[in-house]
């Protein structure tokens, strides 16, 4: 991958399979991949068509740790936004030069190197930076087949049970909805432009109250607010009123249409 790409928006939930079944029934979601680790398990889903959609991740605790603490303090809701980068070490150095706090670095596991920009009082969300020597298949293949060649997928250090989620195929999919822009409230748009435009190299369009940011893989609309955090994701189709995951809603709309992203799997 030549540049930075928006990979997915992640939500902490108590029951990932229960939520996945709902998203499949109501939005036509397709499972991509998932694994289990000591403290949690995850499932990555695509909601949309081959050329119009976005990825969402469900995180479920499996033992005491960061996720149980998060859910105890905040309940279900948005946890982090993940960007895939071409050079993780350089990105971490740049982030620290901007005064950001970086934690949880792992530079020595090629299938999934990662680091996390800790949440601040301006955005209220974790930003995960990741680099992998593997990649997901084209979205057309993922949508047309239940076969997953696990050896080629990005994989976290120490992960097990890469097929824990396959019972989801037993849930009949509903009509396909199209997930889009992630909406993020910020208390400081200037700082947001520095983080997402400078550090993460977004294409930026802006007005007095919001930034429209786009990358291969997706887009984020950052709007000025008194309280920070992910407020939801845009959704075309699906149930009236969208789907709430804690304080956020799949179905959130901004004052502008979605910024159409390039194919997230190219």
């Amino acid at each position: 991958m030549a540049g930075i790409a928006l990979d997915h928006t992640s939500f902490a939930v108590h029951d990932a399979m229960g939520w996945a079944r709902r998203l499949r029934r109501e939005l036509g979601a397709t499972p991509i991949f998932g694994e289990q680790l000591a403290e949690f398990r995850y499932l990555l889903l695509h909601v949309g068509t081959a050329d119009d959609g976005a990825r969402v991740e469900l995180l479920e605790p499996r033992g005491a740790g960061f996720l149980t603490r998060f859910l105890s303090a905040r309940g279900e809701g948005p946890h982090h936004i993940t960007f895939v980068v071409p050079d993780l070490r350089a990105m971490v150095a740049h982030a620290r030069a901007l005064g950001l706090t970086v934690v949880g670095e792992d530079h020595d596991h090629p299938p999934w190197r990662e680091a996390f920009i800790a949440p601040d009082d301006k955005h209220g969300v974790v930003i995960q930076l990741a680099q992998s020597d593997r990649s997901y298949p084209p979205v057309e293949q993922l949508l047309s087949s239940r076969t997953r060649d696990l050896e080629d997928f990005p994989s976290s250090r120490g992960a097990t049970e890469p097929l824990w989620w396959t019972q989801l195929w037993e849930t009949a999919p509903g009509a396909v909805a199209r997930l889009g822009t992630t909406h993020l409230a910020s208390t400081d748009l200037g700082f947001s432009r520095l983080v997402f435009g400078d550090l993460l190299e977004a294409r930026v369009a802006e007005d007095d109250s919001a930034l429209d940011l786009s990358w291969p893989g997706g887009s984020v609309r950052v709007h000025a607010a008194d309280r920070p955090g992910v407020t939801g994701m845009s959704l075309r189709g699906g149930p009236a009123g969208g789907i709430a995951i804690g304080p956020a809603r799949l179905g959130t709309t901004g004052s502008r249409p979605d910024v159409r992203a390039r194919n997230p799997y190219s």
Side-chain angles (χ1 to χ4, degrees), residues 8-12 57 59 66 70 77-82 116 125-128 230:
H8 64 266
T9 299
S10 183
F11 293 82
E57 180 185 64
L59 292 175
F66 76 93
F70 179 93
H79 185 269
H80 66 264
I81 305 173
T82 296
F116 299 87
V125 66
V126 175
I127 298 174
Q128 182 184 34
V230 172

Side-chain angles (χ1 to χ4, degrees), residues 6-239:
L6 173 58
D7 195 76
H8 64 266
T9 299
S10 183
F11 293 82
V13 297
H14 293 291
D15 179 2
M17 182 55 68
W19 270 104
R21 289 193 177 105
R22 181 179 179 186
L23 297 183
R24 186 159 171 81
R25 287 194 306 266
E26 299 188 25
L27 305 181
T30 297
I32 298 175
F33 184 59
E35 296 177 313
Q36 183 164 307
L37 291 97
E39 294 183 7
F40 69 97
R41 64 183 182 181
Y42 73 89
L43 176 58
L44 192 64
L45 303 156
H46 178 82
V47 181
T49 62
D51 58 1
D52 187 10
R55 293 194 291 224
V56 62
E57 180 185 64
L58 301 172
L59 292 175
E60 173 192 333
R62 301 296 289 173
F66 76 93
L67 199 55
T68 54
R69 292 192 296 271
F70 179 93
L71 287 167
S72 294
R74 300 190 181 189
E76 294 186 321
H79 185 269
H80 66 264
I81 305 173
T82 296
F83 294 87
V84 176
V85 303
D87 187 337
L88 181 62
R89 288 187 186 277
M91 185 63 60
V92 167
H94 190 179
R96 288 199 167 111
L98 294 176
L100 299 169
T101 300
V102 180
V103 299
E105 293 177 68
D106 182 354
H107 296 280
D108 302 318
H109 182 64
W112 190 255
R113 300 179 174 98
E114 64 182 3
F116 299 87
I117 298 175
D120 54 53
D121 59 0
K122 299 175 178 63
H123 297 123
V125 66
V126 175
I127 298 174
Q128 182 184 34
L129 307 173
Q131 179 184 354
S132 179
D133 61 0
R134 304 179 183 182
S135 61
Y136 296 109
V139 63
E140 294 88 348
Q141 180 178 331
L142 291 167
L143 295 179
S144 64
S145 173
R146 297 184 177 186
T147 300
R148 301 290 186 258
D149 189 349
L150 303 179
E151 295 299 319
D152 293 334
F153 279 48
S155 178
S156 300
R157 184 191 292 274
T160 62
E161 302 295 333
L163 298 176
W164 75 265
W165 50 272
T166 54
Q167 61 183 292
L168 182 59
W169 292 123
E170 300 171 6
T171 300
V176 175
R178 294 162 177 81
L179 201 60
T181 299
T182 296
H183 293 260
L184 175 64
S186 169
T187 62
D188 186 338
L189 288 184
F191 183 74
S192 299
R193 200 184 199 293
L194 185 69
V195 172
F196 293 100
D198 183 3
L199 176 65
L200 293 170
E201 301 178 1
R203 291 176 292 181
V204 182
E206 60 185 301
D207 56 33
D208 292 338
S209 61
L211 304 174
D212 287 308
L213 311 160
S214 61
W215 299 263
S219 56
V220 175
R221 180 168 172 82
V222 182
H223 58 92
D226 294 331
R227 297 181 61 185
V230 172
T231 60
M233 298 179 71
S234 296
L235 184 70
R236 293 181 292 279

